[in-house]
Amino acid sequence: MTWQNRAEKKSSLNDLDLDRWREYSEIITDSLWLIPERDRSGVHLADYHGNFVPQIPYQAMRRYTRRGDVVLDAFLGSGTTLIECRRLGRHGVGIELKSELAQQAAERIESQNNPHEITTQVVTGDSCNSVVAQRLITKALKKIDREQCQLVILHPPYHSIIRFSDLSEDISNCPSVEVFRQKIGQVVDVVTPFLEATRFLVLVIGDMYAGSEWIPLGFHCMQEVLDRGYKLKSIVVKDMQGNRAKRNLENIWRYRALAGGFYIFKHEYVMFFQKVGKKKREYETNENNETNEKA
Ligand SMILES: C[S@@+](CC[C@H](N)C(=O)[O-])C[C@H]1O[C@@H](n2cnc3c(N)ncnc32)[C@H](O)[C@@H]1O
């Protein structure tokens, strides 16, 4: 028996056919992501300061979801995740605090063609407020006749690096790293009951400087997820050399780095966590049926 035969051929997490594994050159399997160019195709405009490259939700969905699954993004921003949902045939629910932005995002998402006829829903609210956010998520899932999702994506502000608004609920306005960390914990508490067991939560986060000190924001947030019983599957280091904030300020930053004895941030993290536990009975039954059919 070869190592390929020993590996499971069909994953319950995605639609990849491991018999054809050599053909998936577009799927990244290394923990260092050097993405030379943002995907600007379709309705991805890259005009929201603080958005992520569409390749992040794309990679996460290809590895950790199947067609028809549901993806929940609790910090939707300009809607990148839900645009990818429409392209890949995954239902999507996105929560964004700023109502005007949510409205714009919804319009843009709708303008992306929807060949798989899935449903994308944008809701306005505070993802850290368990009463409000859980009610919104329950309602959105109910509309598509579901109770759970199969992937959670969290791309929060990196604390105060970009101030997204003046709203007190906006976690880019948290008065301290400690409060920010607590808020991330609250969001994880909000989404966890909705995530199907064995499925993935993806956290996209960067570190920051404050008071001439490197603050490992990414690892603080990682710990909040781990404290809630998730299994850490991978930490991807993603190159962010092209990010807009620093692009025209290379020399100033280089001088500051030399003078201040630090290194300039050129990376952010994409962290992959798996929810432990047993799947709900309905899914077990589906899997049993599939196994019986194959037998
Ligand atoms: C880093 S951006 C996400 C960008 C997104 N991935 C994209 O590609 O456009 C973080 C977003 O979280 C939103 N936000 C901040 N606090 C929030 C909260 N408490 N609940 C929901 N959204 C919040 C901000 O308004 C901002 O749009």
Side-chain angles (χ1 to χ4, degrees), residues 48 50-52 78 80 96-98 126-127 155 169-171:
Y48 185 53
N51 61 8
F52 54 24
S78 57
T80 314
E96 169 54 49
L97 182 68
K98 296 188 282 177
D126 174 3
S127 293
H155 183 214
E169 301 92 338
D170 183 336
I171 64 169

Side-chain angles (χ1 to χ4, degrees), residues 6 14 18 24 27 36 38-39 48 64 68 78 91 115 117 132 153 181 192 216-217 223 229 235 239 248 268 277 283:
R6 268 197 297 272
N14 58 45
L18 289 182
Y24 297 118
I27 307 280
R38 146 187 300 277
D39 176 3
Y48 185 53
Y64 303 114
S78 57
H91 299 285
E117 298 186 348
V132 172
I153 296 184
R181 188 179 160 150
T192 297
L217 203 59
Q223 196 54 51
I235 299 178
D239 159 80
N248 301 320
E268 58 199 338
Y283 294 100

